Amino acid sequence: QQQVKQSPQSLIVQKGGIPIINCAYENTAFDYFPWYQQFPGKGPALLIAIRPDVSEKKEGRFTISFNKSAKQFSLHIMDSQPGDSATYFCAAIRGRQLTFGSGTQLTVLP
Amino acid sequence: ETGVTQSPTHLIKTRGQQVTLRCSSQSGHNTVSWYQQALGQGPQFIFQYYREEENGRGNFPPRFSGLQFPNYSSELNVNALELDDSALYLCASSRQGDTEAFFGQGTRLTVV
């Protein structure tokens, strides 16, 4: 059972573009929603996270938008750079367990 | 402050064998979680350890087992390896009660 659905599976943008990655969850018991960035051969690294009582959070070029009623949240990357090319995972936390989405492979063209 | 380290980085085993993977948690972290990441997929939660006790388990069979030691390092053991066990195994450490988990670089296990 996939509790966190992520789309798109892959995304290609030009440098300076704003890629948007979307996630939807089913379990309303989730209480924290992080995004992770993973480069090939590396473990996931926390980018930014949000609690469900907040509708938007910005950290540098990364913004999470959260819609609690729709049970959806998204990651926006402003002024994307080739160095942002990686796989991005949304996740949801209930208790101590992270449930990950299936990932989005982002390519930022120079 | 040292990060999460895992060993070995790569491993090849034969179907039916047993394997032990190791994880040293980040300094000050007392909780360790293990995840399995199949190629092209998101990590799947295996289990978590806190104070040397299993503290939550995902949908994995009993042949996946673990240990946590007094220094908070941890082992993941997998018995009777199957081809589908081929994956990247990730360890994450955190402080109990914290939501932020820090991942190691993973162990790439290939079962042939």
Side-chain angles (χ1 to χ4, degrees):
Chain A
Q1 181 186 11
Q2 187 180 5
Q3 295 191 53
V4 180
K5 295 183 179 180
Q6 183 172 347
S7 63
Q9 187 175 11
S10 63
L11 190 53
I12 301 174
V13 300
Q14 295 285 341
K15 177 183 174 182
I18 306 175
I20 301 172
I21 304 170
N22 300 298
C23 285
Y25 63 97
E26 299 166 2
N27 190 341
T28 55
F30 289 133
D31 55 12
Y32 197 63
F33 298 86
W35 284 87
Y36 284 84
Q37 179 189 57
Q38 186 176 30
F39 292 103
K42 301 291 186 182
L46 179 67
L47 263 182
I48 185 172
I50 197 168
R51 297 197 179 278
D53 54 350
V54 176
S55 60
E56 185 176 276
K57 183 175 181 180
K58 289 184 180 181
E59 284 187 5
R61 296 184 294 109
F62 301 95
T63 300
I64 301 178
S65 297
F66 192 90
N67 186 330
K68 187 175 180 178
S69 61
K71 293 188 285 185
Q72 295 175 347
F73 58 112
S74 60
L75 177 70
H76 301 224
I77 305 176
M78 311 301 287
D79 187 27
S80 58
Q81 301 296 313
D84 296 330
S85 297
T87 300
Y88 292 80
F89 293 96
C90 62
I93 295 178
R94 175 173 179 252
R96 303 165 186 86
Q97 180 177 335
L98 274 163
T99 300
F100 284 86
S102 54
T104 297
Q105 187 167 356
L106 172 66
T107 303
V108 181
L109 301 175
Chain B
E1 182 180 86
T2 58
V4 179
T5 57
Q6 293 185 240
S7 63
T9 54
H10 295 83
L11 200 52
I12 300 175
K13 287 287 190 177
T14 303
R15 189 173 51 183
Q17 284 188 315
Q18 178 265 344
V19 69
T20 297
L21 310 181
R22 294 178 174 83
C23 172
S24 293
S25 60
Q26 185 162 318
S27 177
H29 288 184
N30 55 15
T31 301
V32 174
S33 302
W34 286 91
Y35 290 81
Q36 180 195 65
Q37 186 177 19
L39 201 60
Q41 301 294 319
Q44 299 289 315
F45 176 72
I46 302 174
F47 43 54
Q48 183 182 88
Y49 277 82
Y50 170 64
R51 288 188 174 178
E52 302 175 53
E53 297 283 336
E54 189 178 289
N55 188 32
R57 189 178 183 94
N59 189 25
F60 281 81
R63 60 189 185 84
F64 286 78
S65 63
L67 284 173
Q68 187 181 30
F69 300 100
N71 67 353
Y72 307 128
S73 66
S74 177
E75 287 182 355
L76 164 65
N77 299 290
V78 187
N79 293 321
L81 283 167
E82 301 177 358
L83 297 179
D84 285 350
D85 295 333
S86 295
L88 181 68
Y89 287 85
L90 294 163
C91 168
S93 75
S94 60
R95 292 188 188 90
Q96 180 66 3
D98 278 4
T99 50
E100 184 169 353
F102 294 84
F103 284 82
Q105 83 284 2
T107 294
R108 172 70 63 188
L109 173 65
T110 302
V111 182
V112 297

